[in-house]
Amino acid sequence: MAAQQQGKFTVGDYLAERLAQVGCRHHFVVPGDYNLILLDKLQAHPDLREVGCANELNCALAAEGYARANGVSACVVTYSVGALSAFNGTGSAYAENLPLILISGSPNTNDSGQYHILHHTLGHPDYTYQYEMAKKITCCAVSVPRAVDAPRLIDRAIRAAILSKKPCYIEIPTNLAGATCVRPGPISAVTDPITSDKNALDAAAKCASEYLDGKLKPVILVGPKVGRAGAEKELIQFAEAMGCSVALQPAAKGMFPEDHKQFVGIFWGQVSSDAADSMVHWADAMICVGTIFNDYSTVGWTAVPDIPLMTIDMDHVTFPGAHFSRVRMNEFLSHLAPQVTFNDTTMIEYKRLKPDPPHVHTATREEALTRKEIQRQVQEMLTERTSLFVDTGDSWFNGIALKLPPGAKFEIEMQWGHIGWSIPAAFGYALRHPDRHTIVLIGDGSFQVTAQEVSQMVRYKVPITILLINNRGYTIEVEIHDGSYNKIKNWDYAKLVEAFNSTDGQAKGLLANTAGELADAIKVAEAHKEGPTLIECTIDQDDCSKELITWGHYVAAANARPPRNMSVQE
Ligand code: DPX
Ligand code: MG
């Protein structure tokens, strides 16, 4: 702020100050002439570091990953040609419950009134379309019409994003970024959380005891919103008070410790791990905490719990016959914990059902690389410092089957499911967590979507380890529905990432065809701290997990349900 105190304070400075105050230390950008003055203002803030991205899709996904690490993030793009690409990553933030602040430059405020046709636009002088589109994919969209409106609108959008854990949109015309603006008031007005309504909290707790009354076999099912609500600690406290089994949805992996004695595995219908499936189906009461039941998590609707549920969401609680608004997940869990009756029946049953640890074959150095051997070696890489990103494809199944040591973090984008997400998202995440070892598991098809962002890992010397599993195509799609469209052009992936080095970069690209080559490559990656290491792991085209095949068949069946209103003649 010191430099800004002296000169003129502008709309751009106001935004910069708010971004810094809410905790953004980095902001992700792609420049364009509608946002250049704004970028100058953000750059001038001493607590913000600008991070350039190769394109706006990657820019928004990098910010999506940064929000996972930091709780909030910002992405700055130019009008239309930039923003429309960034909308995809913004959709991810919406689906994944992450407060990403999407900021777009826009036309000079005089242009629409003068009916000017401008570059980068649809070619007609109605410049409201981008703002209208943004409203659909954010919790709050604002378009700043005059400098005097900027403080109010910027604060409104950022507060909405922080409170609802969803993205917001702020549009700033090119001639307003440098316009004079008043200084911001206390940040608490933007960031202070809404606490639970005391009456609703008490009433919901009473309803919970009625729901659990007389139930013999309660189970807790954990969903991905637990992490977004920041309720992991309270969940452990509540689970220990209950004493019952705790199963996790796949996208919640990492949100409850896997070495905890009440952890009974990942509940994913037919492709569940450990004994989670049996425990969930045996239960007569199910406390769902932050769960999301979609076609993927329910394996094509075949794994929807069929008993009445108690559901604790981020800001409300529901029961078979009652709903309580303004009850925050973390507050409710810690409020309820001392009131529940300890009941470990499901743990006693779990001990009887718990499968023996699988026998894992260790390949000899010369053996051709297989998916199972990759999984075995990745398992050995995991430590308390690991943050593991798994991309859409068999990497989901390979990653979910791993055992996370205490402290290890797991990131997955299962609601939005954008192939290639993990490359920019891991980049954004790792900038915020240089202390952690970020590992990415990704397929060849996914990598081809966002490969350019490896060049930012090179530029900013981020030591991410990328294990690219090359099975020559879109295998998950093959299992859902095969066709020639599931084949892709092969690349020399190891050479490609080294091409990003040019004269000054230090990416390493390695190829592993055998178990021994993978073990050697992992050693190189673990020692390399000056940039990313990509290990291309080649496996047979048909070498995929049985979980993927099973899941693929059920999802295909769900996709293929005929229209309900089909007429008899058809
Ligand atoms: C598509 C998917 O190679 O992984 O293990 O071989 O399946 P696997 P790859 O990365 O291929 C991914 C591919 C094409 N999904 O199998 S999952 C459809 C899709 C998507 N996202 C976007 N476009 C298409 N999920 C952006
Ligand atoms: Mg593939």
Side-chain angles (χ1 to χ4, degrees):
M1 274 292 278
Q4 295 158 10
Q5 294 285 1
Q6 293 142 20
K8 163 174 131 176
F9 194 79
T10 65
V11 169
D13 295 325
Y14 190 99
L15 179 63
E17 182 62 7
R18 282 311 198 207
L19 293 182
Q21 286 175 327
V22 299
C24 294
R25 301 182 197 176
H26 301 81
H27 57 290
F28 297 86
V29 314
V30 180
D33 60 352
Y34 291 111
N35 72 16
L36 298 177
I37 307 289
L38 182 61
L39 294 186
D40 288 344
K41 300 292 173 194
L42 299 182
Q43 239 182 16
H45 196 289
D47 301 333
L48 291 176
R49 183 170 172 218
E50 179 185 271
V51 181
C53 293
N55 63 50
E56 287 82 354
L57 166 65
N58 290 355
C59 188
L61 289 174
E64 197 263 27
Y66 190 84
R68 289 170 185 261
N70 189 53
V72 60
S73 66
C75 163
V76 193
V77 296
T78 194
Y79 195 65
S80 291
V81 288
L84 267 60
S85 294
F87 279 174
N88 198 330
T90 308
S92 181
Y94 197 103
E96 303 286 325
N97 297 298
L98 295 160
L100 180 160
I101 302 165
L102 174 64
I103 301 151
S104 175
S106 63
N108 181 299
T109 49
N110 300 303
D111 282 316
S112 70
Q114 293 172 346
Y115 299 95
H116 286 158
I117 303 291
L118 298 174
H119 68 287
H120 292 349
T121 75
L122 297 176
H124 58 66
D126 174 0
Y127 300 122
T128 58
Y129 61 91
Q130 183 173 303
Y131 164 59
E132 293 299 325
M133 291 162 86
K135 284 183 188 169
K136 295 278 185 192
I137 55 163
T138 61
C139 67
C140 178
V142 297
S143 170
V144 176
R146 300 174 305 173
V148 68
D149 299 306
R152 178 175 56 85
L153 295 176
I154 290 171
D155 282 6
R156 181 199 296 168
I158 297 179
R159 176 155 178 78
I162 289 172
L163 287 187
S164 62
K165 310 277 183 207
K166 297 281 185 196
C168 69
Y169 172 76
I170 301 173
E171 185 172 297
I172 301 187
T174 173
N175 58 336
L176 293 190
T180 305
C181 181
V182 294
R183 288 173 191 276
I187 190 62
S188 54
V190 176
T191 53
D192 265 13
I194 293 178
T195 51
S196 301
D197 175 69
K198 178 84 181 67
N199 294 331
L201 198 62
D202 289 340
K206 187 162 173 288
C207 205
S209 76
E210 285 161 15
Y211 171 80
L212 290 169
D213 190 37
K215 300 281 170 31
L216 303 173
K217 303 171 288 181
V219 161
I220 297 172
L221 181 62
V222 179
K225 286 189 265 183
V226 165
R228 302 298 189 259
E232 291 100 327
K233 264 205 329 259
E234 291 84 354
L235 173 65
I236 295 174
Q237 181 198 359
F238 173 71
E240 289 177 354
M242 288 288 302
C244 66
S245 296
V246 179
L248 268 57
Q249 289 192 306
K253 188 174 170 77
M255 295 181 187
F256 185 82
E258 296 193 0
D259 63 331
H260 195 286
K261 68 175 192 318
Q262 286 168 255
F263 173 76
V264 299
I266 303 290
F267 173 65
W268 202 1
Q270 301 276 345
V271 295
S272 296
S273 72
D274 210 343
D277 199 24
S278 321
M279 299 318 301
V280 165
H281 286 120
W282 193 61
D284 63 356
M286 195 166 340
I287 305 171
C288 296
V289 192
T291 43
I292 297 178
F293 294 106
N294 65 15
D295 52 346
Y296 277 11
S297 68
T298 64
V299 194
W301 308 113
T302 60
V304 185
D306 57 0
I307 55 171
L309 307 175
M310 164 175 161
T311 304
I312 307 172
D313 213 311
M314 283 160 80
D315 61 0
H316 62 270
V317 179
T318 57
F319 298 89
H323 172 94
F324 301 92
S325 293
R326 233 183 96 190
V327 176
R328 300 197 64 82
M329 183 186 286
N330 53 352
E331 291 172 351
F332 185 60
L333 290 170
S334 51
H335 185 77
L336 199 55
Q339 302 182 26
V340 293
T341 309
F342 186 88
N343 176 350
D344 63 356
T345 314
T346 49
M347 286 317 298
I348 294 166
E349 183 70 359
Y350 170 68
K351 280 182 196 126
R352 297 178 346 131
L353 288 169
K354 186 176 164 52
D356 293 331
H359 172 74
V360 181
H361 168 74
T362 304
T364 60
R365 283 188 60 82
E366 294 69 34
E367 268 180 70
L369 198 53
T370 60
R371 190 192 60 78
K372 281 193 178 154
E373 178 60 17
I374 297 170
Q375 212 176 21
R376 191 192 69 75
Q377 294 199 27
V378 173
Q379 180 69 64
E380 288 186 356
M381 292 174 81
L382 305 183
T383 70
E384 57 177 13
R385 280 184 50 246
T386 305
S387 292
L388 182 67
F389 278 69
V390 297
D391 214 306
T392 308
D394 208 11
S395 297
W396 273 358
F397 298 88
N398 294 331
I400 279 170
L402 295 169
K403 185 142 183 57
L404 290 185
K409 308 249 187 247
F410 186 85
E411 297 294 343
I412 190 165
E413 188 222 29
M414 202 171 235
Q415 179 60 39
W416 194 243
H418 187 301
I419 57 171
W421 153 84
S422 64
I423 296 294
F427 164 62
Y429 180 101
L431 278 180
R432 181 62 184 80
H433 275 320
D435 49 316
R436 302 191 65 83
H437 180 201
T438 301
I439 302 175
V440 173
L441 292 187
I442 185 168
D444 49 338
S446 300
F447 185 76
Q448 291 196 3
V449 181
T450 52
Q452 303 98 315
E453 234 42 38
V454 175
S455 80
Q456 309 320 328
M457 300 177 191
V458 178
R459 178 179 177 189
Y460 294 95
K461 297 190 171 15
V462 185
I464 293 174
T465 303
I466 302 165
L467 287 131
L468 185 149
I469 295 139
N470 188 356
N471 54 9
R472 301 289 181 105
Y474 298 144
T475 297
I476 201 168
E477 300 295 317
V478 171
E479 296 311 326
I480 294 174
H481 184 93
D482 200 10
S484 57
Y485 35 73
N486 292 327
K487 303 261 176 294
I488 60 173
K489 171 75 185 77
N490 195 35
W491 292 0
D492 187 334
Y493 298 96
K495 256 200 201 142
L496 175 80
V497 299
E498 294 203 346
F500 291 133
N501 287 339
S502 180
T503 52
D504 55 347
Q506 298 185 55
K508 285 189 192 295
L510 304 160
L511 178 63
N513 290 314
T514 64
E517 284 170 0
L518 178 58
D520 294 345
I522 288 174
K523 278 197 202 113
V524 173
E526 290 190 328
H528 182 49
K529 304 284 180 237
E530 295 304 310
T533 305
L534 179 139
I535 307 171
E536 178 188 339
C537 308
T538 52
I539 60 170
D540 191 275
Q541 224 166 339
D542 293 326
D543 182 6
C544 68
S545 64
K546 72 174 188 324
E547 287 78 10
L548 165 63
I549 299 170
T550 312
W551 177 88
H553 292 173
Y554 285 106
V555 169
N559 283 348
R561 283 164 305 155
R564 281 225 172 137
N565 57 358
M566 196 189 265
S567 73
V568 185
Q569 284 78 14
E570 286 173 300

